[in-house]
Amino acid sequence: MRQAPSPEAAVKNDRLHRLFPFLNWPRPSRDTLLGEFSAGMTVGLMLLPQGVAYAALAGMPLVTGIYASIVPAVVAVLWSSSTRLGVGPTALSSLLIGASLSGLAEPASDTWVALAVWLALMSGSLQLLLGLGRFGWLLNLVSSPVLSGFTQAAAWLILASQMRALTGLAPDSSDWLALSQHDLLSLGFGVGSLAALLLAKRFVPRWPAAMIIVVAAGTLSASLGFAESGGAVVGALPSGLPHLYWPGGLSMNAFGQLVMPALVITLISFLETASSAKVENQRGGTQWNENQDLIGQGLAKIASGLSGSFPISASFSRSAINLYAGAKTGWATLFSVLLVMVVLLFLTPYMYHVPQAVLAAIVVAAVLNLVRPMQLIGLWKISRVEALTAGATFVLTLATAPQLYWGVLAGLVASLTHFLYQRLHPRIIEVGLHPDGSLRDRHLWHLPPLAPHLYALRMDAELDFASASTLERNIVDHLARHPDTRCVCLYAQPINRIDVTGVEAFQQITLMLHERDITLVISGLKLPVDTVLRRAGCLKEGPLLKTCRTDLETLTTVQNLPSNG
């Protein structure tokens, strides 16, 4: 019989599993590994062309898109709690990189690469610190309308950035309608590849359509002599695994210019991760550990930078394909990385003839999923304020491009301002007894008072620094309009928290009512609020202060008070 581990050994083992989450992976069987291999091959065949295409979108050397798909993906899957995410280059992060570095260096130059690496190191370090400090909750400050507005604007910017490559428009031309200004072969490759990708997604979603189209387009390009006739192709990609890369020093001026982009990349990339991780955990019936995923994503970004590549994220499309293909554990990601390594070591020469228009088509096909014009109309039906917040974020993101972070910041400020306004103006209603027996808004439903000379109110908010003055002012205003009031009844069921300011406001209200010989009845205090008020000595019952537990007890009490009888 095996002995149970000692408490010291159990604590040590638990600490080891927290430091190295991959130790929690279930031991795979032969059948499991076969299923993981199949899923990994599917994602790997999708990841290869996307990695190269997103590197072009980020203004990076194309091979760095493959570099970003190897070590960072392994690090992410080993140290994240969500092990079935497709981690690597994504359209949104790549756009942010390209936009952030615009004007600071020449795309694909050594300086550009060094700055992109610094973005990876800075955003990765920030995510790692947030995860270690268990600050994942901070990301909840970004509301869905802000993210929606930014994503919609970013999608349109990505589409606009790919049109020239997709249609083969001459670099020095802006006449989109003149066919003579387009490379017709590039136009054919781009539009044909886009149509094929969309049809494949519609009818054969499980096929590695992007890889099939890349191989077919590369073969056709080579047979037509497209590169030799001056067509834009991928060109020579260096083979071999990435080496350790250090970008060199960073001046204070450059650091200042990268701070805001690094913050936005940190935020947006983790929100991308969150959207995929929530789906994975819902399907698996597990609770999402956002702090561990922050650690994993942070380490992955740092690994990407040290590989000479750019910030990565979790791709919603590749994560969905991974789940759809039947991935159960992180082994699927390791198999997909193995495929990418084989291609990088032995097959990069075969990508020489792939037209760049095909890469643009891959980006456009992926980004079309983000274009949802009806989303704003749906928001308008739910909340006009939040719809306006999303609209403002959308417009400002487009207007301030390439400094995309201004749209996010403006949306964040608007969202938080609306939140604070609501907290500072809580809903307070006067309560009446509805014919169905429930307590409702007396004025909205035209109900009589619960008793003569009674003011019965309910505040649907916490009693804290934000709402305390509003509650106090509401009672004072009512007493000024109704000097014959002899009892105030506070229905306190919605109040689930109270702070020092709330206690002080409660004391002021109690003192004011006592000075006017008005009885205060408190109904349904929750235990946390009751405990704090009793500690502060605010609930000493007497002729002018009474507490009740239920609505029925409260109704009986207020209707039997001498002043209301």
Side-chain angles (χ1 to χ4, degrees):
M1 180 180 292
R2 293 180 59 185
Q3 284 188 331
S6 65
E8 294 80 5
V11 169
K12 184 178 180 180
N13 187 57
D14 181 61
R15 186 181 297 118
L16 196 64
H17 280 72
R18 279 190 281 110
L19 288 173
F20 304 104
F22 53 87
L23 295 177
N24 295 311
W25 290 10
R27 181 173 296 177
S29 64
R30 181 177 177 275
D31 290 340
T32 301
L33 286 178
L34 286 175
E36 299 297 279
F37 178 80
S38 175
M41 291 300 102
T42 302
V43 174
L45 290 171
M46 183 180 181
L47 175 59
L48 274 164
Q50 280 195 348
V52 176
Y54 292 154
L57 179 60
M60 294 288 286
L62 300 184
V63 74
T64 61
I66 303 179
Y67 292 165
S69 309
I70 301 177
V71 178
V74 173
V75 171
V77 76
L78 292 180
W79 270 273
S80 295
S81 66
S82 305
T83 58
R84 295 183 289 173
L85 302 185
V87 176
T90 64
L92 206 50
S93 293
S94 298
L95 172 70
L96 287 170
I97 296 157
S100 301
L101 301 183
S102 178
L104 300 181
E106 187 69 23
S109 65
D110 291 344
T111 304
W112 183 284
V113 172
L115 292 174
V117 167
W118 273 113
L119 277 178
L121 296 176
M122 290 167 66
S123 59
S125 298
L126 181 56
Q127 281 193 335
L128 178 60
L129 290 174
L130 288 172
L132 292 173
R134 308 191 68 79
F135 288 115
W137 59 269
L138 282 173
L139 298 168
N140 295 325
L141 293 176
V142 182
S143 65
S144 178
V146 174
L147 181 61
S148 173
F150 175 80
T151 303
Q152 294 295 304
W156 284 109
L157 289 171
I158 292 172
L159 292 176
S161 72
Q162 297 301 300
M163 286 300 104
R164 187 176 292 274
L166 182 72
T167 61
L169 185 68
D172 56 348
S173 174
S174 58
D175 189 356
W176 292 89
L177 298 179
L179 281 178
S180 60
Q181 298 299 310
H182 294 265
D183 182 335
L184 295 183
L185 268 179
S186 288
L187 179 63
F189 277 121
V191 175
S193 298
L194 179 60
L197 285 165
L198 296 178
L199 288 172
K201 180 184 176 183
R202 175 70 178 83
F203 296 106
V204 283
R206 298 190 67 171
W207 283 22
M211 195 65 191
I212 294 172
I213 290 168
V214 163
V215 172
T219 303
L220 182 59
S221 169
S223 64
L224 294 174
F226 182 59
E228 288 75 9
S229 63
V233 296
V234 168
L237 295 178
S239 60
L241 297 177
H243 300 288
L244 181 64
Y245 178 91
W246 179 251
L250 187 67
S251 67
M252 288 304 297
N253 181 52
F255 177 80
Q257 291 175 307
L258 294 183
V259 167
M260 284 306 302
L263 289 173
V264 174
I265 289 171
T266 298
L267 176 65
I268 298 301
S269 71
F270 194 67
L271 290 174
E272 283 187 297
T273 302
S275 64
S276 300
K278 288 177 181 178
V279 172
E280 180 197 342
N281 283 273
Q282 284 171 358
R283 291 191 180 183
T286 56
Q287 186 176 5
W288 182 41
N289 185 346
E290 68 270 24
N291 292 306
Q292 189 60 51
D293 275 351
L294 271 171
I295 292 172
Q297 291 288 317
L299 289 173
K301 282 184 173 61
I302 294 172
S304 185
L306 296 178
S307 300
S309 193
F310 49 93
I312 50 81
S313 185
S315 164
F316 189 83
S317 60
R318 292 196 300 272
S319 300
I321 290 293
N322 203 26
L323 292 172
Y324 188 65
K328 302 296 183 186
T329 67
W331 284 101
T333 296
L334 298 182
F335 284 127
S336 68
V337 168
L338 184 62
L339 174 63
V340 173
M341 290 174 61
V342 170
V343 171
L344 186 58
L345 287 171
F346 305 110
L347 302 178
T348 51
Y350 295 98
M351 296 191 68
Y352 181 94
H353 290 282
V354 176
Q356 290 191 12
V358 176
L359 301 184
I362 292 171
V363 174
V364 170
V367 170
L368 283 175
N369 296 326
L370 301 176
V371 179
R372 297 172 184 171
M374 298 301 294
Q375 199 169 47
L376 192 60
I377 297 175
L379 283 174
W380 185 264
K381 293 178 180 178
I382 299 171
S383 169
R384 294 187 177 185
V385 172
E386 294 194 273
L388 290 173
T389 299
T393 304
F394 175 83
V395 171
L396 284 171
T397 301
L398 292 178
T400 59
Q403 283 78 34
L404 304 183
Y405 47 81
W406 289 115
V408 176
L409 290 177
L412 184 59
V413 169
S415 182
L416 290 177
T417 300
H418 177 54
F419 171 75
L420 288 174
Y421 179 84
Q422 290 181 311
R423 288 295 309 276
L424 292 167
H425 299 81
R427 180 173 182 260
I428 299 177
I429 63 170
E430 184 176 357
V431 173
L433 184 61
H434 193 272
D436 66 5
S438 63
L439 296 173
R440 301 192 185 184
D441 188 329
R442 188 173 83 80
H443 299 288
L444 179 65
W445 293 91
H446 308 291
L447 304 174
L450 293 179
H453 311 298
L454 168 71
Y455 179 42
L457 73 156
R458 188 185 75 212
M459 183 175 74
D460 298 332
E462 298 173 347
L463 184 52
D464 58 11
F465 70 95
S467 62
S469 62
T470 304
L471 176 63
E472 186 176 357
R473 184 170 59 250
N474 182 278
I475 294 175
V476 170
D477 290 345
H478 181 86
L479 295 180
R481 294 192 307 270
H482 304 86
D484 60 338
T485 300
R486 304 315 308 155
C487 177
V488 171
C489 176
L490 175 62
Y491 281 88
Q493 294 95 332
I495 302 174
N496 55 23
R497 192 182 71 86
I498 188 170
D499 65 1
V500 172
T501 307
V503 171
E504 292 175 353
F506 186 86
Q507 291 171 331
Q508 291 288 344
I509 292 169
T510 304
L511 180 61
M512 174 189 66
L513 295 178
H514 284 194
E515 288 176 349
R516 301 187 185 194
D517 199 29
I518 297 175
T519 303
L520 175 62
V521 178
I522 310 295
S523 174
L525 269 179
K526 292 183 177 177
L527 183 59
V529 181
D530 185 280
T531 301
V532 172
L533 288 175
R534 291 191 185 280
R535 285 177 181 171
C538 299
L539 290 181
K540 297 177 181 178
E541 293 197 42
L544 295 180
L545 178 62
K546 300 182 181 298
T547 60
C548 303
R549 299 306 309 161
T550 66
D551 290 346
L552 180 60
E553 182 186 353
T554 304
L555 283 171
T556 303
T557 300
V558 298
Q559 290 173 353
N560 291 331
L561 287 173
S563 59
N564 295 333

